[in-house]
Amino acid sequence: MIKKSGYLFLGTLMLGIFEGMLMGFVYFLIFSSILFFSVASEIILFNVYTTSGLRSMDVARFVDTNYVRKGGKLGVRLKFHNKSSRKIAFHYYDTLSDVFTISGPSEGYISLSGGETREIDYALSAWAVGKYAVGPVIVYSEDPMKLCVSSYKLEKSIDVKVSPSLSEITNSRSGLVSNIKFTSGIHKSRVIGQGYNFYGVRPYVISDEFRYIAWSRYGIQTGEDIYIKQMEEERQLDVYFVLDYSESSNFGYKTKRMYDRMIVSSINAAYMVLKNRDGAGFLLYSSVHDAFIPVTRSDESIRKLETKVAEIRPEGRFDLMRCLQRAGEEIKKNALIILVSPMFNADQFRSPHGSLFRVGKRFALILLSPTEFVEWKDEDKNYTTLMRSALVSRSAQIKQISRSLNQAGLKTIVAEDSTLQRRLAVEYQYEKMVQ
Amino acid sequence: MAETQGVSAYFFNVLALSPSILLLLVSMAYAISGLNLYIFVPLALVPIAKRFSPSLIKVNTYRIVLIILLLLILDSLASLSHLVPPYLSAISLPASFETVFTLEIALGYLIVVEGIFTQKMFYLVGALVASLADLGELYAAVALMNSSYFGVVLSNFTSTLGSYGLGNVPPMQAALIVVALLEYQAILSLSLHGFMTILPLYSLSLPYSTLLLSTFAVSFLGVIGRFYVEGEKDENFRLEGLFTSVVLGVVISLAVIEFATVFQTYDFQFFVISFLAMVFLIAAVSSSRLTPRDLHL
């Protein structure tokens, strides 16, 4: 393909020929003609010779596995084979998402003699959960005069699934630090009712059933006093983490993305819930995604979430009212629903009537502020000023949203990335205490 | 590394623009007495001022210069009609052949200087072609001045101008106007008859013609050298491709020009060269047609 500069170059030289002829300037005519025909020949030779050479290239990709943990290394091997008998020199690059950190030559310039094969090894490491394409491999070559370029897609892409990093959720799983960190002060509320655990006794009143009389305590003080056995009722709390998995969650920069932090914080909070012998479930919701993972009292739901988030990426739009309706349909029991969303778009909470936000369950909405998801570039003062201005505006906006939703009857809290996990824990603890 | 490449690029730019530089020097030698220095000197300082300007002004230097020039021309037209106060009339451009002549030389000078400092290949060749178009006319005027029949041409021209009440015109400016008229006649002839009857430079004996021919050879080497230093990793592979295309280009163009001379008596040179150039242009474009694979579909 001739580049724009190539067309301009040829056009200019044709103008030179025309000019030379028009003025009868023979030297200039000869000069322009030689240059024009040299450039034109070079382009034709490149298109015929080099381009057909590129077509005879074979590229194969081999990867260690297509399922990795965030931060884990994924080895990739590219195998280039020149099927033709002549030498081919070309540039290559593997098409990769910006969530990957690359170590090794994923792009470069190589020349292969006829029949030669060369293997290129490099490694990838992802910074966010989700499913990402690796590839295709693009090879391209430029002519010596850099006036045209020929490029080909030589290898289909493969999908790599990235699940949450063990290092980020290990604190909650270890049971050492996490017990002190997250579960201190949380006690199961003792509610008297029907159950198997003995709680205590109290004096008999007329409305009590005879079957609960503690005969072993009969007449223990006055000789005729009667006592009733009290049993402890099991009051376990089911917690659903509902996550806004729309495009608005795909905010942040290479090493820190909003949806990734939402997943990690939710998993950590879910481990804390499980340690307290309560149940944890999840709902990833947007106009495209609707992944409901029912409550379990083991880490099975977390495992399912890890698998699920490795297969999708945030897509579509988020509508608060529809999300609440959807949560209401799936969650039958009286459970605690904690919804985490950045609420970036105005149509995400467009319900004009407070009554429509009625959830019928214990509910908390955590608005995730974008403040800590911005990469600061100290050297670029214009960028810094613009970003600060945008964040100040967004902070005011998000506080206003929070106030409006609170007035409409939805408990709403604003959280930063660094406080998200603590906010989730606080909401859980609060509901645990008041249940 | 980048600085070294920049310096070598300037060196090749000077080589590539050597015909324009020679024409500029020759023209200036004849034209210096007829220049309006109040216009030429500020314009000549523009490339220097540009390099010391803040980046916002640097990228818009020539736009600013053009706007100022157009405003001055507007001011001059308004001054001729006595529509502006005296202090604005004082800065207007004089409506004379001298002004047009100065602007033409200044344009050639600016194109050459900017061409020397350019980092882009296309701008270099563009500057070469554009400067040769402008300075070629001046060079033709110099050639006309050196011709034996210039005295007759000048007297005819002066008497014609005198009949319109335009007074005397210096020889260089008169020669330039005659050459420009011949060029317009050539374009008109081309449009009406399909071939050229008037060639301003073809029939004149050119001053410094041997030196000029050498500068064109140097210029060709300069352009190819610039292509070469633009840099690619596999030098041998690159050199091979460049060498082949240059040899092919020289052979084809010489064959084309030889072939064109066969048709000299029939005035078909223009047609033959244009036809073959178009054939090569179409071949170059059609050989690089995009396929779905190119488009990564």
Side-chain angles (χ1 to χ4, degrees), chain A residues 220-261:
Chain A
I220 200 165
Q221 285 186 345
T222 60
E224 290 187 354
D225 46 341
I226 302 171
Y227 295 92
I228 291 291
K229 282 189 287 189
Q230 286 185 309
M231 308 306 285
E232 189 182 339
E233 187 173 308
E234 286 184 17
R235 293 293 299 272
Q236 286 175 317
L237 182 63
D238 287 346
V239 184
Y240 275 95
F241 297 95
V242 181
L243 306 179
D244 170 358
Y245 227 58
S246 64
E247 278 167 7
S248 58
S249 302
N250 194 359
F251 182 85
Y253 52 98
K254 183 179 177 182
T255 55
K256 194 175 186 182
R257 285 169 198 263
M258 204 174 253
Y259 64 93
D260 184 72
R261 298 301 304 159

Side-chain angles (χ1 to χ4, degrees), chain B residues 208-230:
Chain B
Y208 309 104
S209 61
T210 316
L211 186 59
L212 186 61
L213 186 60
S214 313
T215 56
F216 272 112
V218 169
S219 175
F220 183 73
L221 292 176
V223 173
I224 299 299
R226 235 339 264 279
F227 274 130
Y228 184 70
V229 295
E230 292 267 302

